[in-house]
Amino acid sequence: MTETSLHAALKKLYAQSKEYQEILVDGYQIDVIQDDLLIEIQTANFSAIKKKLADLLPNHPVLLVYPVALEKWIVRLSASSNKLLYRRKSPRRGRVEDIFRELVYITDLLQNPNLQIEIIFVREEEVRKADGLGSWRRKGVSIIDHRLLEVVCKNRLAGKRDFLALLPETLPPVFSVQDIARELSLRRSLAQKMAYCLRKMQILRVSGKHGRALLYGFET
């Protein structure tokens, strides 16, 4: 798979120099090494990195970096000449809870003390080409690259306390996924992923049911 400009830029950001990039450790190519810390930058699809993490974590501290776009510009190029057709701002703004779309694939690893997650909030360009090879949802337009415009801030999740802080303080002692969705203004599907991950991390526990809906409480 071709490396995106975003991935290459983040690798450069975390590395002190090129000699600390793409290092072989235990048979795996590591994006960046800082002293004894292995840094893996994953822009999507945590399921693809699950086995790699599972093999590395018993012997190495790993920082898994995930970029979230606070602001995204859609750049569309023509298929034949790469001529700029338009550049527009996407209405969607990423948020910290987006990490749970990917964490659901590695829930078995989230309690490993050697694993830390870092969400890096960015402004980026998503480059598309009208080549007829892309998704039917985009009418055949392909996404060919992501470009980093600016790093805004970072949020490192290094243990249960950091993940617990993502839940709103306004939740009652017993609550549902719908309560999480309402208090955080999330889609229910994302709130459900969040609750599932926090339950797997033993931050939340199932306290009962209301109809068919599970009720949750905080682990003591």
Side-chain angles (χ1 to χ4, degrees):
M1 186 174 178
T2 305
E3 182 180 40
T4 65
S5 300
L6 173 63
H7 189 275
L10 293 178
K11 212 163 56 175
K12 184 177 180 181
L13 177 72
Y14 279 89
Q16 298 168 346
S17 68
K18 278 196 171 182
E19 66 181 297
Y20 296 100
Q21 298 180 30
E22 301 298 336
I23 307 297
L24 198 65
V25 176
D26 294 352
Y28 289 103
Q29 204 81 14
I30 307 301
D31 285 333
V32 177
I33 293 184
Q34 289 181 359
D35 299 322
D36 64 341
L37 178 65
L38 310 186
I39 301 176
E40 280 294 303
I41 299 159
Q42 194 74 2
T43 57
N45 193 10
F46 280 17
S47 61
I49 202 174
K50 183 175 181 178
K51 184 179 186 307
K52 184 177 185 179
L53 291 174
D55 290 345
L56 292 171
L57 284 169
N59 301 309
H60 306 279
V62 178
L63 178 65
L64 181 57
V65 176
Y66 180 68
V68 169
L70 289 181
E71 185 177 277
K72 182 187 290 186
W73 290 86
I74 307 298
V75 175
R76 183 163 168 178
L77 307 176
S78 66
S80 56
S81 61
N82 284 337
K83 179 182 177 182
L84 177 65
L85 298 178
Y86 63 75
R87 184 179 187 267
R88 64 174 176 82
K89 190 175 182 180
S90 169
R92 189 180 185 280
R93 288 180 59 87
R95 46 188 297 171
V96 66
E97 293 86 5
D98 287 341
I99 187 67
F100 290 100
R101 301 183 196 279
E102 298 298 334
L103 291 182
V104 291
Y105 298 110
I106 59 167
T107 52
D108 294 344
L109 305 176
L110 293 179
Q111 290 198 72
N112 192 305
N114 272 342
L115 178 64
Q116 297 183 50
I117 310 291
E118 184 149 277
I119 305 165
I120 182 164
F121 295 97
V122 301
R123 294 188 174 93
E124 68 170 47
E125 284 183 334
E126 181 177 282
V127 185
R128 301 180 178 183
K129 179 178 280 193
D131 56 6
L133 302 175
S135 165
W136 62 269
R137 292 184 179 87
R138 294 187 300 274
K139 299 180 180 179
V141 175
S142 297
I143 298 173
I144 62 170
D145 201 7
H146 288 265
R147 299 170 181 163
L148 177 66
L149 300 177
E150 181 185 0
V151 172
V152 180
C153 60
K154 301 174 184 177
N155 186 354
R156 187 170 295 196
L157 304 172
K160 287 186 178 182
R161 182 176 296 180
D162 293 337
F163 279 94
L164 181 60
L166 300 181
L167 288 169
E169 296 180 355
T170 50
L171 284 174
V174 177
F175 52 90
S176 66
V177 163
Q178 191 60 43
D179 293 325
I180 298 174
R182 183 185 64 250
E183 294 300 315
L184 291 175
S185 299
L186 293 178
R187 289 182 180 272
R188 190 181 185 282
S189 59
L190 182 53
Q192 200 163 28
K193 290 180 173 66
M194 188 175 184
Y196 174 75
C197 291
L198 297 180
R199 178 184 169 189
K200 286 287 189 176
M201 294 180 70
Q202 297 180 353
I203 293 171
L204 299 181
R205 56 180 171 80
V206 175
S207 296
K209 295 182 80 173
H210 180 70
R212 297 176 63 183
L214 292 176
L215 297 177
Y216 295 92
F218 296 101
E219 286 282 9
T220 54

